[in-house]
């Protein structure tokens, strides 16, 4: 069925895609927007840097820890139902955060926001997979998702500066409430409710161990910069997370209906694609943060102009993403993926070498950011296509949870590692001025280039299974009716 043609019940796939892509825009924007507002939060609520860091970190921990559970819950309970539930949790928590009188309340609200975001993100991606069968239509849909993700990162930075300057930091959270209300009103009209697996039963032990294990790993990663990589808190979180994930692996082999069937994880294409998704985010996510920081702290730009400096990159993403499907059809998935990671490597390397303490935006950031704008949708779309290519209709939520978890942990790990590299390099030089800060940024971006180069080499090993097109896809969005 061609995109945009009417579906059963008069629902249009194109309208549904617009809704799901807008959800992706809102969730990515929410990840970025609060970072710009943090200094104003500290001034208003009287919090130091340690407390403020957890306003951002609380969201990342619950978001990363619950994606896998959210994806499987969507398969079993219904994708639209979990999508709406996630939006509801996100909206209520955003309202509580917008009215918070203390940092403690705000941190708690941000943690609950992460819960809602995880449920909504996993269900939205699964709805997209069910809506568009594997092939050119899905490639175009994933291109739209990638475009909205790239745009959301920049819009979050820009709107964070504008709203904080004009209306105060609380308006950044109330923007979420408005966005959620719009999406929640449209979802029942545009999304089919018959989107749940015929399988029944829920793996409580697997859900608890996987969620707690992933949550502890996220806690260790986001707190490593503050506590130190070898601190008791960081090592304890890593050890606890690994023990719980090991227990999860044992449980999954012994129960009838596991949260993640071991046979799924034995698929080589899925494993490699999730690894590549993580590597992509380990380079891309911290790049946005480091470039914004360079523009503000070295080139002395305001937060608003620091965000606007990433606008050309986002415009290239929006222009490139819809054409990624055509490139896949022409070159093949593996060749397009390798091209994307090669461009990512070249863009990161060029950016690292171009940064200068006495530079300007045009002389340092603009040209390499345009290369990165082309690379971003190529790597995001191709890794998502590969990670979900052999997912059966009843596994779309699971596939969504896995790839989203890989991307989220890649983002968190990449940010933690690259910020640690930048800080260590700057401190080693004495941290006496812009030149030392620039050297730290250059070192971090070079490490990001290494991640991209590793992914480019690994992409040569990608082999799509012969059975990719063998899974039947229903005319409806999903499986058994609710």
């Amino acid at each position: 069925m061609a995109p945009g043609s009417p579906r059963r019940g008069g629902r249009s796939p194109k309208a549904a895609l617009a809704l799901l892509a807008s959800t992706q825009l809102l969730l990515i924007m929410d990840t970025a927007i609060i970072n710009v507002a943090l200094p104003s939060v500290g001034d208003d609520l009287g919090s130091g840097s340690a407390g403020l860091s957890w306003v951002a970190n609380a969201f990342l921990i619950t978001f990363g820890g619950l994606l896998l559970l959210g994806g499987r819950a969507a398969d079993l309970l219904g994708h639209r139902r979990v999508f709406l539930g996630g939006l509801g949790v996100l909206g209520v928590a955003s309202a509580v955060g917008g009215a918070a009188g203390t940092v403690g309340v705000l941190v708690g609200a941000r943690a609950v926001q992460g819960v809602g975001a995880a449920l909504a993100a996993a269900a939205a991606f699964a709805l997209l997979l069910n809506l568009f069968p594997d092939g050119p239509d899905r490639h175009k849909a994933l291109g739209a998702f990638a475009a909205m993700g790239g745009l959301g990162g920049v819009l979050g930075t820009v709107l964070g500066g504008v709203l904080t300057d004009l209306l105060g930091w609380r308006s950044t959270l109330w923007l979420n409430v408005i966005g959620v209300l719009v999406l929640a009103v449209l979802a029942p009209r545009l999304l089919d409710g018959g989107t749940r697996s015929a399988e029944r039963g829920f793996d409580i032990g697997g859900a608890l161990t996987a969620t707690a294990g992933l949550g502890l790993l996220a806690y260790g990663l986001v707190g490593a910069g503050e506590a130190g990589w070898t601190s008791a808190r960081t090592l304890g979180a890593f050890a606890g997370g690994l023990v719980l994930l090991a227990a999860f692996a044992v449980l999954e082999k012994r129960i009838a209906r596991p949260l993640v069937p071991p046979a799924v994880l034995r698929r080589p294409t899925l494993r490699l694609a999730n690894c590549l998704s993580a590597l992509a985010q380990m380079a891309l996510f911290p790049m946005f943060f480091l470039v914004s920081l360079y523009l503000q702290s070295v080139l002395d730009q305001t937060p608003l102009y620091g965000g606007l400096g990433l606008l050309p990159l986002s415009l290239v993403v929006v222009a490139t993403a819809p054409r990624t499907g055509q490139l896949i059809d022409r070159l093949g998935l593996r060749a397009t993926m390798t091209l994307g990671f090669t461009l990512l490597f070249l863009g990161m390397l060029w950016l690292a070498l171009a940064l200068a303490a006495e530079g300007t935006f045009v002389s340092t950031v603009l040209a390499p950011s345009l290369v990165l704008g082309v690379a971003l949708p190529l790597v995001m779309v191709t890794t998502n296509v590969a990670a979900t290519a052999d997912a059966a209709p009843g596994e779309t939520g699971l596939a969504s949870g896995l790839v989203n978890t890989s991307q989220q942990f890649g983002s968190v790990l990449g940010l933690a590692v690259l910020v640690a590299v930048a800080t260590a390099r700057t401190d080693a030089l004495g941290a006496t001025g812009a030149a030392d800060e620039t050297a730290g940024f250059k070192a971090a971006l070079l490490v990001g280039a290494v991640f991209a180069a590793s992914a480019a080499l690994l992409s040569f090993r990608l082999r799509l299974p012969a059975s990719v097109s063998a899974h039947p896809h229903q005319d409806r969005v999903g499986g058994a009716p609710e």
Side-chain angles (χ1 to χ4, degrees):
M1 179 174 294
S5 59
R7 295 182 70 88
R8 190 175 302 177
R11 293 184 172 94
S12 163
K14 187 175 289 187
L17 173 60
L19 175 73
L20 296 172
S22 298
T23 304
Q24 175 79 345
L25 174 70
L26 180 68
L27 296 178
I28 298 298
M29 192 169 65
D30 186 44
T31 305
I33 198 170
I34 198 68
N35 292 327
V36 182
L38 284 180
S40 297
V41 173
D43 292 340
D44 186 26
L45 300 183
S47 174
S49 58
L52 289 177
S53 68
W54 286 103
V55 175
N57 293 344
F59 178 88
L60 294 174
I61 290 169
T62 52
F63 190 19
L66 288 166
L67 277 165
L68 183 58
L69 176 60
R72 194 57 178 150
D75 279 341
L76 297 177
L77 302 177
H79 298 113
R80 190 179 72 179
R81 181 179 295 165
V82 172
F83 175 71
L84 287 169
L87 287 179
V89 172
L90 178 63
V92 171
S94 298
V96 172
T102 66
V103 169
V105 172
L106 180 57
V107 169
R110 288 286 291 167
V112 179
Q113 273 187 287
V115 175
L119 295 174
F125 196 76
L127 281 162
L128 181 145
L129 297 180
N130 282 318
L131 187 63
F132 296 94
D134 187 54
D137 292 347
R138 180 179 289 183
H139 301 164
K140 293 176 184 177
L142 290 173
F145 244 52
M148 290 301 100
L151 188 60
V154 175
L155 277 180
T157 304
V158 174
L159 283 177
V162 172
L163 290 175
T164 301
D165 286 344
L166 296 180
L167 302 174
W169 65 268
R170 296 179 189 275
S171 63
T172 62
L173 291 160
W174 287 105
L175 179 65
N176 260 352
V177 178
I178 296 171
V180 162
L181 287 174
V182 172
L183 293 171
V185 168
L186 293 175
R189 303 178 184 181
L190 300 179
L191 302 177
D192 198 318
T195 58
R196 107 186 190 188
S197 170
E199 182 182 344
R200 293 293 179 266
F202 197 76
D203 174 15
I204 297 297
L208 292 175
T209 52
T211 301
L214 291 171
L216 278 174
L217 288 181
Y219 174 80
L221 287 171
V222 300
E226 174 190 340
W229 286 89
T230 58
S231 68
R233 187 179 89 181
T234 301
L235 294 178
F238 286 156
L242 292 174
V243 167
L244 285 169
L245 290 180
F248 168 72
V250 172
L251 282 173
E252 298 306 275
K253 295 178 180 178
R254 297 184 176 182
I255 62 174
R257 292 188 174 91
L259 182 68
V260 181
V264 171
L265 295 180
R266 286 196 292 268
R267 298 172 187 170
T269 302
L270 180 142
R271 292 200 308 268
L272 179 58
N274 276 274
C275 177
L276 291 170
S277 292
L279 282 170
Q281 288 302 322
M282 287 172 69
L284 282 166
F285 187 80
M287 179 274 297
F288 281 98
F289 175 78
L290 292 168
V291 168
S292 181
L293 201 58
Y294 165 77
L295 293 174
Q296 294 178 58
S297 62
V298 176
L299 301 189
D300 201 26
Q301 302 284 347
T302 64
L304 175 58
Y305 283 102
L308 289 174
L310 295 169
L311 188 57
L313 182 153
S314 291
L315 293 176
V316 174
V317 170
V318 172
T320 304
R323 295 168 174 79
T324 303
Q326 299 171 11
L327 200 59
I328 293 173
D329 294 339
R330 181 174 302 176
L331 301 179
L333 182 64
R334 185 176 63 183
T336 306
M337 180 186 291
T338 302
L339 174 63
F341 278 114
T342 301
L343 289 174
L344 180 58
F345 163 69
L346 293 174
M348 294 289 289
L349 181 62
W350 187 359
L351 183 60
L353 297 177
L355 294 191
E358 303 298 328
T360 65
F361 167 74
V362 173
S363 66
T364 60
V365 173
L366 179 59
S369 74
L370 299 181
V371 176
L372 292 168
V374 175
L376 188 153
L378 296 186
V379 299
M380 293 304 298
V381 173
T382 54
T383 53
N384 281 338
V385 168
T388 59
D390 57 350
E395 298 173 344
T396 52
L398 173 60
S400 165
L402 286 170
V403 72
N404 273 289
T405 299
S406 298
Q407 292 169 358
Q408 184 67 17
F409 274 85
S411 300
V412 174
L413 178 58
L415 185 61
V417 170
L418 266 61
V419 168
V421 168
T423 302
R425 178 61 175 159
T426 299
D427 290 346
L429 294 173
T432 56
D436 294 344
E437 280 190 275
T438 303
F441 294 140
K442 290 168 77 76
L445 290 169
L446 286 172
V447 173
V450 172
F451 293 151
S454 302
L457 293 174
L458 282 173
S459 67
F460 283 103
R461 299 181 58 189
L462 182 71
R463 298 288 187 276
L464 286 178
S467 60
V468 164
S469 60
H471 296 304
H473 290 268
Q474 291 104 334
D475 183 58
R476 290 175 62 83
V477 183
E482 292 182 6

